[in-house]
Amino acid sequence: MQDSAVVAQGARNAAAMADHAHGGHPTYLLHHFNSVEQQADASSFAMWLFLLTEVMFFGGMFVVYLIYRNWYYPAFVAGSRQLNVALGGINSALLITSSFTMTLAVWNARMRRKGGMILCLVLTFALGAVFLGVKGAEYKEKFEKHHVPGEHYSLQSFLNPDSDPAAAGTRPLPLDEARHTELFFSLYFAMTGMHALHMIIGMGLMAYILFRARGGAYTAGHTAFVEYFGMYWHFVDIVWIFLFPLLYLINRH
Amino acid sequence: MSHISPVIWQFLVKWMTNFALFPPEASKIAPQMDALYFFMVLVSLIGLTIVVLLVISFSILYNRKRHPVAVQIEGSTLLEATWTIIPLGLFLVMFVWGALIYFRVFTPPANAMNIYVVGKQWMWKVEHPGGQHEINALHVPEGRAVQLTMISQDVFHSLSIPAFRVKREAIPGRYTTVWFEATTPGTYHLFCTQYCGTNHSQMTGDVVVMTQEDYRKWLASSTSGESLAQNGERLFASLSCAACHNTRPDARGPSLANVYGAKLTLSSGGAVIADEAYLREAILNPSQHITQGYAPIMPTYQGQISEEGVIALIEYIKHLDSDYRVEQTLTTTDMLPEGEGATPAGKASAGNAPAAKGMVKP
Amino acid sequence: MSEPREQAEHIVSPWIYAAVYLALLAGVAATIAASRMNLGILNPILALSIAFAQAALVTVYSMHLKWSTKLNKLSVGACAFIYCFLIAMVLLDYTSRAWGQW
Amino acid sequence: MSTSTIVRLPDQSTARIPKDNFITRENGLLSWLLTRDHKRIGILYLISITFFFFIGGALAGLIRLELLTPQTDLMAVDTYNKVFTMHGVIMIFFFLVPSVPATLGNFFLPMMIGAKDLALPRVNLLSWYLYMAGGILALYAMITGGVDTGWTFTTPLSTHYVNTNVITTGLAIFIAGFSSIFTGLNFIVTIHKMRAPGMTWFRLPLFVWANYAASILMVLGTPVLAVALVLVVLERAFGIGVFDPARGGDPLLFQHLFWFYSHPAVYIMILPGMGVISEVISTFSRKRVFGYTAVAFSSVAIAVFGFFVWAHHMFIMGVSNYAVLVFSLLTMLVAVPSAIKIFNWTFTLYKGSITFETPILYAFGFMGLFTIGGMTGVFLGTSGTDIHLTETYFIVAHFHFVMVGGMLMAFLAGIHFWWPKMTGRMYPEKISQFAAVVTFIGFNLTFFPQFILGTLGMPRRYASYPPEFQILNVFSTAGATILGVGYLLPILYLTWSLRYGAIAGDNPWQATGLEWQSQSPPLTENFTVMPVMDHEAYDYEWLEQQQERENQKEVASAG
């Protein structure tokens, strides 16, 4: 039962719907949207909201970090010293570069350049993979030095800094402070681990995009999915931009 | 009623015994808190009555039979402002009133006698300064402010004494305090109200409020022969604390005489009052609490002393009101081989040990 | 079929991306350099300021917030507000725990 | 006109359920499992949520039975702990949080704003699957040993002192959290971007406003719970020690993060319920909601302030006393919008033309019980009285008044209100009115004694208790039995009505919402012609004019 007033005033839209039914709109326009603009606005808004939930997710960990860093500053300094600034810096550069190639991939998609887009995506993927490789090497080193929190956690590097080249020359920490380095590494692994997990998910999505891009899926005018993936990738980049100074560069002078 | 089944009758009698709708008021704070409570009950009842009466009378006056055509009303800013501002005002009154009581409950008076409570799965261990230990029971005198300094050695617990209207969580790793002044002798419930694992519901006990005289008798009859401070002194000796914390000119640690309650300047530059919480931290995490002018050489005692041990040490330090006492401990430590020192050390210092009535710090 | 309006507006010159990229790299270098200097309390503040600047660049240019709808901008602001409140309220507890003696 | 009912049903001898509707459009299990239709997803949610509700309800029954006697005689203490934990987890994360938004919201929110679907139909389906995955994982955790930390997962208890399925349950909640995030996100986008022409913000039904406010909380709050749970899971699984006091961690920090979500979660649960109440009260008193703007903004105010009050769960846990002051003050502020709503609903009745069908009976129940629940919340938000009342049965009674007395009443009001639209058939009126009354009586008998128990000091989560508390507990258990009947009845008669209920027609309640202007059950695309909103929300005069015009047309065509 549709009342007549609504019918009368909905005529304009009825026409639009009929238009839709006859294929007057691009194929990627989903049935429940009235226009491409509406679809684009809605989906980009949704993507932003999703990224905001991610902000709150990582934000929770940053709150934890903030509290403990203030409580156990010496332990955090000593823990931070165990991290390799060079590797961290390289990783920052890698991720920033991958973020750059990602923007170029989106630009290429928009310009409908399939080859350029695929090239940029492959580069992004490769840079991400190298990042994870470096991260893996760092994890391995921590594992070997027993700096992974848990039963086998070792305080050697902090109690006898001279036994560890990374800590050589620093003041030995008293036992009670040294114990708190475990908190630093807990946060280090939780934060970088969650970040790495996001990258792995991102690279999975990227593989899917690459697979579809070969068929020209994103270079025919509808670039939304690549764009939103790009936003996600940039977000992962932003997280690292904060993680790097906060974890690697505490009191390095 | 004469046909009532004896079984049911038995149940009724059982249930009605001790049945109450409101807990007894057995502390000084209880009537104050109840005044606020009843004020809030009153406000709630008035609010509820207004809503219910309005709903009922509107339902009668404006039901479809009597009032077939609704009158459309957009709203009324005046009315809406009224029911925004009046509740807000009432809530603010409650907030201020409540905050006053809150601060009263959690700000112990300076002359409160201190009792330590350690919570663990699933019992309350009470340590009186006179050396009386209790488990799942707490004896307190009436008419005296009693401060509980609480800590948990595992998970969160919460000490609740409904009759006193006080409750505070005992949390791991940090002292919390609560105080009360019991007013009516009797036996009251003591509950753990924070869920703490399997036998949470068995972590209950009794609070026994006694007249001052009875309490004194109880203290005398249930003492373990060694006060908390004496216990601490023994620990102080066996852990060789006095090796550094002594009065010699070349002492590596600060003398602890009169340190309790003093304002200390730390090597980090901050100032701190040496209260129980500080002393505990300084024993377990010493390097973050180094007194200015001393090297951070004190080892941590985390994992080496139980919470009760820390309490005993703190109680001992609290009673170190002269260098003489420190010396005394030093001598006993020097005199006795470790381990065997227990009883003689106790004896040696028995004369100096504060009596139960001297527990209150002036 | 005409090019949809929204997307036409979005195309950003790659040179902007390149500029952002270089700025970000410079930011990393600046962060490392700043950490080598002893600035006391300013060290973390400086590091975080650089990080925020970098994050802002990424958000505004790489993620196209600049060319995005007002609603998206507003949402980012709202989230930042709530997050700041989370930090502020948690800090309120932690910083004032030691005030007085309880 | 002067009848005691507004129900206007079509002539039952000729009326038929429309042949083409969202239920009949496609057939087969797969057409349901792969559907992107918001209405079908709403139905899927309704079925799964009812399932979890009855599991949670059965657990509640076990709790009440155990508490019949002061001793632990029905089950071991351990079992009791698992039962109340699972009751909390299932009821909160798998019933209350998704209840109104995921079922009624999913079904009606797009229709109310004149959209063909939610903005992200695939994400909507995904969120149902995530919900189911989380739910099944939670059930798996329950069957393979359960979990006994309490639904609050307090550290260090949950990380180091129990040996039960904390990890599994934590992950289950984590996954269900994503479902909640996606639903909220979908709602926000839909409300912003999918409104029909003419549907301005201040023409939105208040149900939409309420869901919008709840969605904001879901989107910004849930991730913080997720991170808190992830850290707990990591701590258990890999031994990292973020909240471990033995390693210098602060267990209170976990609580900060946990309650940053879990307090707003209370508003996630209650706000959509308030939306339902606005719709129901307006419809059955034939009046625009009194002070529409105030009610709409009070929802948003609750959402915003709801974020800033979380530490009132921690007043006695050793947070700073100054923080207590601030949080207590903010708690007082968040209580005000709820009071505004109650009074505005009450005055909606003023000079209305009220009839007493089941939905409004539930709504009256909601108003009474929520008033009590809300006011007792002030008892707990006031720092002084909180000391005595927190962690006792007072708090149990308080949140059951809000959640069960408030939310569940609203949910049932909504189910009855929209049942004709969802299924095309009426529920039986007399028995459902009876059920509403039974629920109300049973509820009060169950939970009111718990206020007294709490005041007396009986702690929550106790398997055994001092004998003098028994009589009140017996009342409570007796009430729970009645309440159980009150909940079973709707299941029976609603199922019955699917086949035997009277044909409802398009708009049996003469309600004004856009969803009522479509056929029942609706078409897959909701509307044959895109609606244009040319009147305010709750405009009953507009509706009457419409109907007159219809009648004239019918007369004309008949003549």
Side-chain angles (χ1 to χ4, degrees):
Chain A
M1 190 213 293
Q2 198 67 44
D3 57 78
S4 50
V6 169
V7 174
Q9 299 196 5
R12 180 173 53 90
N13 305 285
M17 286 176 83
D19 197 21
H20 176 190
H22 295 129
H25 281 298
T27 46
Y28 57 79
L29 179 62
L30 295 170
H31 73 96
H32 58 290
F33 289 110
N34 293 320
S35 66
V36 175
E37 285 82 10
Q38 190 190 23
Q39 177 168 336
D41 275 3
S43 45
S44 88
F45 182 37
M47 190 63 207
W48 275 104
L49 283 180
F50 177 71
L51 291 182
L52 295 183
T53 68
E54 291 277 25
V55 169
M56 295 305 282
F57 181 86
F58 279 99
M61 283 196 268
F62 280 109
V63 171
V64 178
Y65 171 89
L66 176 71
I67 301 294
Y68 292 147
R69 176 183 158 133
N70 281 317
W71 274 13
Y72 305 125
Y73 186 65
F76 269 56
V77 171
S80 173
R81 214 160 275 272
Q82 288 295 316
L83 305 181
N84 190 328
V85 180
L87 289 182
I90 288 169
N91 257 355
S92 295
L94 283 172
L95 209 51
I96 286 172
T97 313
S98 85
S99 196
F100 175 55
T101 54
M102 191 65 226
T103 54
L104 290 184
V106 174
W107 181 77
N108 274 302
R110 283 203 180 138
M111 301 305 281
R112 307 194 179 196
R113 296 180 187 174
K114 195 170 113 183
M117 182 205 160
I118 290 182
L119 177 69
C120 287
L121 272 180
V122 169
L123 274 176
T124 313
F125 190 93
L127 287 163
V130 177
F131 177 96
L132 286 179
V134 174
K135 198 82 242 157
E138 286 188 84
Y139 278 4
K140 181 162 170 282
E141 191 224 346
K142 300 285 162 298
F143 190 77
E144 281 165 355
K145 282 167 100 174
H146 293 287
H147 284 167
V148 181
E151 269 175 46
H152 304 291
Y153 188 75
S154 154
L155 297 174
Q156 269 312 309
S157 313
F158 312 108
L159 297 176
N160 305 311
D162 293 331
S163 69
D164 178 354
T170 54
R171 177 177 71 89
L173 283 186
L175 181 61
D176 53 334
E177 272 176 13
R179 278 181 183 160
H180 295 142
T181 54
E182 198 175 352
L183 270 180
F184 174 81
F185 282 106
S186 291
L187 280 172
Y188 168 77
F189 279 103
M191 294 169 105
T192 58
M194 277 297 139
H195 178 256
L197 183 67
H198 276 78
M199 289 198 61
I200 291 168
I201 293 170
M203 287 168 66
L205 287 171
M206 219 181 318
Y208 169 76
I209 291 177
L210 272 171
F211 176 73
R212 288 200 58 204
R214 288 186 316 163
Y218 306 104
T219 39
H222 185 50
T223 58
F225 192 71
V226 187
E227 273 171 51
Y228 302 146
F229 174 74
M231 285 165 67
Y232 173 84
W233 196 254
H234 298 315
F235 169 77
V236 174
D237 187 25
I238 290 179
V239 173
W240 183 258
I241 285 175
F242 281 97
L243 287 180
F244 175 61
L246 290 182
L247 293 174
Y248 286 75
L249 299 177
I250 309 176
N251 202 13
R252 279 285 179 174
H253 45 267
Chain B
M1 287 302 277
S2 58
H3 300 295
I4 201 156
S5 140
V7 180
I8 294 180
W9 185 246
Q10 206 185 327
F11 269 113
L12 280 178
V13 167
K14 207 177 85 190
W15 287 345
M16 296 313 287
T17 330
N18 294 326
F19 174 71
L21 288 174
F22 202 70
E25 290 178 338
S27 76
K28 228 172 129 186
I29 199 80
Q32 300 174 19
M33 198 179 279
D34 289 345
L36 172 57
Y37 177 82
F38 283 117
F39 170 69
M40 286 159 73
V41 169
L42 186 71
V43 171
S44 308
L45 278 180
I46 292 174
L48 185 67
T49 317
I50 292 175
V51 171
V52 170
L53 276 184
L54 284 177
V55 168
I56 290 176
S57 48
F58 289 162
S59 297
I60 294 169
L61 286 174
Y62 303 115
N63 74 46
R64 197 167 180 79
K65 275 189 187 139
R66 195 188 282 225
H67 196 250
V69 180
V71 181
Q72 298 301 327
I73 304 165
E74 181 54 40
S76 156
T77 315
L78 186 67
L79 268 179
E80 284 168 50
T82 315
W83 62 62
T84 308
I85 291 166
I86 292 180
L88 180 64
L90 286 169
F91 293 157
L92 288 181
V93 170
M94 292 169 190
F95 160 70
V96 173
W97 193 341
L100 290 175
I101 288 174
Y102 182 88
F103 273 76
R104 222 167 284 158
V105 174
F106 291 145
T107 315
N111 64 345
M113 60 180 267
N114 196 17
I115 297 176
Y116 294 92
V117 178
V118 178
K120 67 167 286 217
Q121 282 180 329
W122 291 276
M123 61 170 79
W124 292 108
K125 297 186 285 189
V126 177
E127 304 270 352
H128 294 261
Q132 295 82 358
H133 306 283
E134 296 182 81
I135 285 185
N136 287 343
L138 172 64
H139 285 74
V140 291
E142 73 170 321
R144 278 283 293 281
V146 176
Q147 174 186 337
L148 302 181
T149 301
M150 304 191 288
I151 194 158
S152 160
Q153 62 185 58
D154 38 45
V155 301
F156 277 79
H157 299 282
S158 182
L159 183 124
S160 159
I161 309 168
F164 295 172
R165 310 288 188 276
V166 294
K167 184 183 288 146
R168 185 103 209 217
E169 303 240 335
I171 61 188
R174 186 148 64 92
Y175 286 125
T176 49
T177 58
V178 67
W179 80 279
F180 52 81
E181 187 179 324
T183 50
T184 322
T187 304
Y188 306 101
H189 284 299
L190 168 72
F191 293 122
C192 170
T193 50
Q194 173 65 272
Y195 177 66
C196 56
T198 307
N199 285 328
H200 167 55
S201 48
Q202 262 105 75
M203 199 166 157
T204 60
D206 289 324
V207 178
V208 184
V209 179
M210 312 167 106
T211 59
Q212 303 234 3
E213 194 175 330
D214 285 348
Y215 182 68
R216 219 165 289 139
K217 280 183 204 153
W218 177 83
L219 278 183
S221 66
S222 43
T223 179
S224 54
E226 202 175 51
S227 79
L228 215 47
Q230 284 167 311
N231 220 333
E233 181 168 16
R234 196 151 47 79
L235 254 177
F236 197 82
S238 68
L239 292 167
S240 307
C241 303
C244 299
H245 294 288
N246 55 42
T247 51
R248 291 175 191 146
D250 60 343
R252 283 175 290 173
S255 161
L256 299 179
N258 282 324
V259 76
Y260 179 75
K263 197 171 179 182
L264 302 179
T265 312
L266 300 184
S267 58
S268 62
V272 72
I273 307 262
D275 55 357
E276 286 94 345
Y278 171 79
L279 292 176
R280 180 178 182 281
E281 275 294 298
I283 294 168
L284 299 181
N285 294 314
S287 45
Q288 278 162 291
H289 302 89
I290 298 296
T291 311
Q292 202 168 40
Y294 292 90
I297 49 167
M298 177 165 163
T300 168
Y301 286 88
Q302 184 120 44
Q304 298 180 44
I305 328 178
S306 64
E307 291 297 349
E308 285 97 330
V310 177
I311 285 170
L313 278 177
I314 289 173
E315 197 59 24
Y316 167 66
I317 293 168
K318 276 165 97 170
H319 289 93
L320 280 177
D321 47 14
S322 70
D323 288 349
Y324 171 72
R325 287 258 166 73
V326 188
E327 285 306 314
Q328 198 74 20
T329 316
L330 193 63
T331 337
T332 24
T333 325
D334 288 347
M335 246 161 40
L336 293 158
E338 257 179 59
E340 277 175 50
T343 330
K347 257 183 211 156
S349 57
N352 313 331
K357 62 179 189 306
M359 284 180 306
V360 185
K361 191 122 177 97
Chain C
M1 186 186 79
S2 60
E3 187 68 38
R5 174 187 56 82
E6 276 294 314
Q7 296 197 338
E9 280 181 359
H10 269 215
I11 295 185
V12 182
S13 157
W15 294 110
I16 292 187
Y17 295 139
V20 169
Y21 172 55
L22 291 178
L24 291 177
L25 282 185
V28 175
T31 318
I32 297 177
S35 73
R36 302 276 164 188
M37 292 181 279
N38 189 357
L39 303 170
I41 186 75
L42 283 179
N43 262 332
I45 293 175
L46 188 60
L48 276 180
S49 307
I50 297 173
F52 271 112
Q54 284 176 301
L57 277 179
V58 175
T59 322
V60 173
Y61 292 101
S62 305
M63 293 166 87
H64 297 171
L65 188 63
K66 188 177 175 188
W67 300 279
S68 194
T69 55
K70 236 184 211 157
L71 178 63
N72 291 356
K73 293 174 191 165
L74 196 73
S75 311
V76 174
C79 177
F81 172 71
I82 297 281
Y83 182 62
C84 289
F85 225 98
L86 167 64
I87 290 194
M89 298 294 264
V90 172
L91 279 185
L92 167 72
D93 172 24
Y94 280 84
T95 51
S96 62
R97 269 190 205 170
W99 294 357
Q101 281 168 297
W102 314 110
Chain D
M1 267 308 259
S2 62
T3 50
S4 59
T5 176
I6 49 161
V7 181
R8 212 179 293 165
L9 299 178
D11 182 3
Q12 292 296 311
S13 55
T14 54
R16 291 282 174 275
I17 300 244
K19 275 247 156 49
D20 180 26
N21 61 46
F22 78 98
I23 300 169
T24 56
R25 182 67 69 84
E26 281 176 283
N27 284 318
L29 189 62
L30 267 189
S31 77
W32 282 87
L33 291 182
L34 297 177
T35 183
R36 286 171 210 165
D37 180 1
H38 65 102
K39 297 177 286 299
R40 285 189 165 206
I41 295 172
I43 300 284
L44 288 177
Y45 262 118
L46 184 61
I47 295 167
S48 31
I49 272 171
T50 310
F51 171 71
F52 281 105
F53 172 70
F54 276 95
I55 290 184
L59 293 168
L62 287 177
I63 295 174
R64 282 316 327 163
L65 269 182
E66 168 60 56
L67 293 178
L68 195 56
T69 57
Q71 306 82 24
T72 49
D73 30 24
L74 179 69
M75 46 188 136
V77 202
D78 241 348
T79 322
Y80 177 81
N81 294 341
K82 287 175 184 170
V83 167
F84 78 67
T85 303
M86 289 316 293
H87 167 70
V89 167
I90 286 180
M91 282 302 203
I92 287 169
F93 297 108
F94 297 98
F95 176 70
L96 286 167
V97 167
S99 61
V100 167
T103 56
L104 301 172
N106 247 330
F107 200 112
F108 292 108
L109 191 135
M111 297 186 74
M112 282 177 155
I113 64 172
K116 278 174 267 181
D117 204 330
L118 284 173
L120 312 162
R122 277 176 290 192
V123 173
N124 196 19
L125 182 64
L126 174 67
S127 78
W128 181 71
Y129 275 102
L130 287 171
Y131 168 80
M132 286 310 285
I136 288 167
L137 201 55
L139 287 185
Y140 168 79
M142 183 169 99
I143 292 163
T144 57
V147 59
D148 63 346
T149 59
W151 78 275
T152 47
F153 295 97
T154 322
T155 51
L157 180 71
S158 63
T159 47
H160 290 92
Y161 291 90
V162 292
N163 299 316
T164 46
N165 297 330
V166 179
I167 296 179
T168 328
T169 319
L171 288 178
I173 295 171
F174 182 83
I175 294 169
F178 268 99
S179 153
S180 173
I181 288 176
F182 285 141
T183 305
L185 190 151
N186 224 334
F187 281 8
I188 296 180
V189 176
T190 308
I191 295 168
H192 269 286
K193 299 291 181 190
M194 307 286 286
R195 300 192 309 275
M199 182 61 88
T200 59
W201 279 89
F202 291 101
R203 283 179 177 174
L204 288 174
L206 289 165
F207 179 76
V208 178
W209 272 97
N211 271 293
Y212 181 72
S215 302
I216 295 176
L217 293 169
M218 286 186 198
V219 165
L220 292 180
T222 319
V224 181
L225 172 77
V227 76
L229 288 177
V230 162
L231 289 173
V232 165
V233 166
L234 287 178
E235 191 155 343
R236 273 191 82 90
F238 302 110
I240 76 164
V242 178
F243 300 124
D244 182 4
R247 290 187 243 188
D250 184 12
L252 265 190
L253 193 51
F254 168 80
Q255 305 228 359
H256 272 300
L257 295 181
F258 181 85
W259 289 113
F260 181 79
Y261 166 77
S262 294
H263 189 73
V266 174
Y267 302 115
I268 294 176
M269 299 175 215
I270 194 72
L271 274 169
M274 292 171 157
V276 173
I277 300 304
S278 298
E279 299 296 312
V280 168
I281 292 204
S282 165
T283 302
F284 291 92
S285 58
R286 321 299 307 150
K287 253 189 85 206
R288 182 171 159 81
V289 172
F290 190 89
Y292 170 96
T293 331
V295 178
F297 278 129
S298 66
S299 291
V300 178
I302 288 176
V304 175
F305 282 112
F307 270 121
F308 307 146
V309 299
W310 75 86
H312 65 212
H313 295 263
M314 304 153 64
F315 279 174
I316 63 159
M317 291 192 187
V319 294
S320 143
N321 287 9
Y322 297 99
V324 167
L325 272 187
V326 174
F327 279 107
S328 174
L329 179 61
L330 289 168
T331 307
M332 296 300 140
L333 297 185
V334 84
V336 174
S338 306
I340 296 177
K341 275 178 190 279
I342 288 283
F343 282 113
N344 274 324
W345 289 325
T346 312
F347 272 78
T348 305
L349 300 171
Y350 175 66
K351 292 202 173 167
S353 176
I354 310 162
T355 58
F356 300 94
E357 279 79 12
T358 315
I360 202 171
L361 294 186
Y362 278 116
F364 284 161
F366 173 99
M367 285 167 67
L369 301 179
F370 181 76
T371 306
I372 300 176
M375 277 309 300
T376 48
V378 176
F379 284 55
L380 294 160
T382 303
S383 45
T385 37
D386 181 73
I387 296 171
H388 175 51
L389 298 174
T390 191
E391 295 171 355
T392 65
Y393 262 81
F394 192 91
I395 211 163
V396 174
H398 154 68
F399 68 68
H400 280 90
F401 263 78
V402 177
M403 296 291 103
V404 186
M407 184 57 196
L408 207 53
M409 287 275 177
F411 182 65
L412 285 170
I415 290 286
H416 284 89
F417 180 57
W418 278 300
W419 190 254
K421 180 52 67 183
M422 285 196 276
T423 63
R425 288 185 185 272
M426 297 298 290
Y427 57 85
E429 188 64 50
K430 282 278 170 290
I431 186 168
S432 60
Q433 285 175 334
F434 173 70
V437 174
V438 167
T439 314
F440 184 77
I441 294 170
F443 177 84
N444 277 301
L445 190 54
T446 313
F447 292 107
F448 202 84
Q450 297 186 357
F451 278 126
I452 303 168
L453 279 173
T455 313
L456 286 169
M458 176 167 162
R460 64 192 287 201
R461 297 170 169 175
Y462 263 30
S464 55
Y465 52 86
E468 71 256 33
F469 296 151
Q470 188 178 12
I471 187 160
L472 289 166
N473 274 299
V474 169
F475 277 131
S476 188
T477 303
T481 321
I482 300 174
L483 193 57
V485 174
Y487 291 144
L488 278 173
L489 278 175
I491 280 286
L492 298 178
Y493 65 71
L494 287 179
T495 317
W496 174 88
S497 79
L498 282 178
R499 199 181 166 103
Y500 303 103
I503 306 279
D506 293 349
N507 194 355
W509 309 126
Q510 315 304 312
T512 58
L514 278 184
E515 80 273 26
W516 295 104
Q517 317 308 325
S518 138
Q519 67 172 39
S520 327
L523 286 168
T524 304
E525 55 271 22
N526 292 348
F527 304 98
T528 43
V529 178
M530 176 187 267
V532 170
M533 189 74 172
D534 58 351
H535 56 275
E536 300 302 311
Y538 311 114
D539 190 344
Y540 290 92
E541 281 154 13
W542 167 85
L543 189 74
E544 255 165 49
Q545 289 165 9
Q546 290 305 315
Q547 281 165 347
E548 247 161 63
R549 228 171 287 163
E550 293 274 330
N551 290 344
Q552 283 170 2
K553 229 194 286 173
E554 262 169 49
V555 170
S557 64

